[in-house]
């Protein structure tokens, strides 16, 4: 992500004012309810500078004033909050079996959401459908008063660092696709930021960026759905996403666990996805692509064959959790994705394996927490919306 200082010279007054507004907006975002005096101390700015910057942010609709806060000395100050009634960010996730879209306020509150199930199709057809759904959401009465800041799109595959190309989405059959170009062609009048990223990376970003209060130093999000992926973020100003030189960082579903094993959709043999993924469970249990996996399996959970397949998949998921814990050692692990809704048949062996082996290398250390998101339908889409806001606050946008 570009930094505001990358294209400006020292002494540029307009740039310095924008930098101050950006710093203040970030402080209010992370610590809702701070006062002008708090900001002056934390940002090392004069009260006059803070006052002028906040007045501008209030006028533009970025901030709102709240209750009077008691002061240890001097006059009480007004609490400051992000204004959730003026701007919104759009986030979308293109999955193998559906499209999920959200409109988020500045605080991360979901203002509207929509989930459209569909079978895998071409990038062009998917972009057309996504554009139609985004238009309908923006034109809805509940969002009529909002100004959209941009669109973030999360996709199921590695995205090239530095350019909006999804290199390979093996479970969609897409390769080297400039998806945003297709989407822009269907939304020619939309003005705002355009971003796209891998779905697990977007989810990880949103899980740390929209959090207030105590923020973990690092967070890894493991996505267990049709495919298996992960995203790792560190820091908070803004969070840094680990990508790797080719954008492959976090592709745990394509780490080889059975050399010479079954062929994976990526072309290799024995990938983790051949043991635990929505598509491999479908193949082993005879569930067609047209059926909803959860609806198809819920009535069959007591069948011995189903229990065996899910137990094996769950144990593999536990191994992947342990591998992420050992390889990246984040402050917090978060597990989401549709497979978590399969219940104890899959989750018990996963959690049991992870918990039994988690501290073998650090037996006297505090355990790294593992948080499970039971309904992660819109987690990646919300994360993509968070990436739009971060780009505006920390990038070179002229909107602030």
């Amino acid at each position: 992500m570009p930094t505001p200082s990358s294209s400006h010279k020292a002494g540029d007054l307009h740039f310095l004012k924008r930098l101050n507004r950006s710093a203040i907006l970030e402080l209010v975002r992370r610590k809702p309810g701070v006062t002008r005096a708090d900001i002056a101390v934390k940002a090392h700015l004069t009260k006059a500078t803070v006052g002028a910057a906040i007045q501008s942010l209030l006028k533009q609709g970025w901030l709102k004033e709240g209750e009077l806060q008691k002061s240890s000395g001097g006059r009480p100050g007004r609490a400051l909050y992000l204004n959730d009634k003026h701007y919104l960010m759009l986030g979308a996730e293109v999955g193998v079996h559906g499209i999920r879209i959200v409109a988020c306020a500045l605080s991360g509150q979901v203002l509207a959401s929509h989930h459209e199930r569909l079978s895998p199709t071409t990038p062009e057809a998917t972009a057309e459908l996504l554009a139609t759904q985004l238009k309908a959401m923006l034109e809805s009465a509940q969002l009529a008063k909002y100004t959209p800041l941009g669109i973030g799109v999360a996709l199921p595959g590695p995205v090239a660092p530095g350019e909006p190309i999804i290199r390979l989405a093996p479970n969609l059959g897409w390769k080297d696709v400039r998806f945003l170009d297709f989407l822009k062609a269907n939304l020619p009048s939309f003005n705002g930021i355009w971003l796209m990223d891998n779905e697990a990376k977007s989810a990880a970003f949103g899980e740390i960026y929209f959090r207030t209060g105590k923020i973990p130093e690092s967070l890894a999000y493991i996505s267990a759905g049709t495919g298996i992926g992960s995203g790792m973020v560190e820091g908070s100003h803004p969070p840094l996403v680990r990508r790797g030189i080719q954008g492959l960082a976090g592709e745990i579903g394509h780490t080889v666990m059975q050399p010479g094993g079954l062929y994976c959709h990526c072309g290799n043999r024995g990938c983790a996805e051949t043991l635990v993924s929505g598509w491999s469970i479908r193949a082993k249990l005879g569930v067609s692509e047209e059926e909803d996996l959860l609806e198809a399996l819920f009535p069959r959970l007591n069948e011995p064959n189903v229990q065996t397949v899910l137990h094996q998949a769950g144990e593999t998921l536990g191994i992947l959790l342990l591998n992420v814990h050992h390889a990246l050692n984040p402050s917090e692990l978060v597990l989401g994705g549709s497979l978590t809704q399969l219940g104890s048949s899959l989750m018990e062996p996963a959690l049991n394996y992870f918990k039994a082996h988690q501290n073998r290398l650090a037996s006297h250390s505090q355990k790294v927490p593992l948080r499970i998101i039971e309904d992660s339908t819109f987690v990646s889409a919300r994360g993509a919306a968070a990436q739009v806001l971060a780009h505006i606050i920390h990038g070179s946008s002229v909107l602030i």
Side-chain angles (χ1 to χ4, degrees), residues 4-22:
S5 59
S6 59
S7 58
H8 295 270
K9 295 180 180 180
D12 183 334
L13 186 58
H14 178 75
F15 164 67
L16 292 175
K17 287 182 177 180
R18 189 216 169 275
L19 199 63
N20 289 336
R21 291 193 294 269
S22 174

Side-chain angles (χ1 to χ4, degrees), residues 237-250:
H237 306 303
L240 176 66
V241 181
R242 286 196 182 184
R243 301 190 179 279
I245 193 66
Q246 297 170 312
L248 296 176

